[in-house]
Amino acid sequence: MVKMSKYLGGVILLCGMLSVSVARGQEVSKLKVTGPAGNKVAAGKMVDVSVTGADAKAAIRWTYDKSRLDFRKINRTSGIFSGLSGTYSITAESIMLDKEGNTQWDEVSYTFAIGEPGPLPPGPGPTPPGPTPPGPTPTPGVLPIAGDGLRVLIIEESGERAKLPIGQYNSMFGKRVNDYLRAKCAKDGRGEPEARVWDKDDDTSASPQHWKDAFKRQQDGGTDGKGKRASLPWVMIANGKDGIECPLPKTVDETIALLTKFGG
């Protein structure tokens, strides 16, 4: 355990996209984060991480960009991250009091990538032909997500991904939709697209207000009582003028067509 203030000096890059140990002078973090092989997973996959080297009495805290990543704690030293395709940096911190009552603090950073989609779970068999139901209708003047520019929120049940049609799975995590969102969505303060895929039970308390409001709307219907989700996965789209909230289309082509109505 290293007794130290928040690190402001250099870092030691071990190799490529590996763990980064915090160092100050000759002090090197005793912590180590272990993740997936090659520090990379396919798009749509979850990233299992664990930290070792912490004192058994130390509290472990994970810090990460909560606007881009979701985290589920497994136990004291491990958890699961998920998010859209991209490269992410997280930090594991250990904190405890020594016998003299001094705070002992240590940290280690870790970088990983969520990349191209890997093999997808098999979808259901072909659907017999039948009448084509009418598509979702935009709601002029109604903004499911506040703000100017294209914003997209997809609500899912992460535990049911294996049961989804491949088209819906790729609409959430595939490269084609991801590339569209990166090109067309409004950007946040970090230059990242204003697009989210959240589980229906996610904790959004640390997210910006417009995302918290959108998440609450699909739960309780919003002030107009018309926004409550009817099924999962559920998509909410807004462009600052109009919007739509409806079941996520079953194919990537249909999803792109829906997004294009609002994002061009």
Side-chain angles (χ1 to χ4, degrees), residues 48-68:
D48 294 280
V49 296
S50 61
V51 61
T52 57
D55 189 285
K57 297 179 181 179
I60 303 298
R61 179 175 65 185
W62 297 91
T63 57
Y64 56 95
D65 185 345
K66 294 182 179 179
S67 68
R68 300 179 62 209

Side-chain angles (χ1 to χ4, degrees), residues 155-156 168 218 228-235 246-248:
I155 305 297
E156 62 153 344
Q168 281 190 324
Q218 57 84 31
K228 188 172 183 178
R229 69 171 187 266
S231 60
L232 290 170
W234 186 254
V235 63
C246 62
L248 183 67

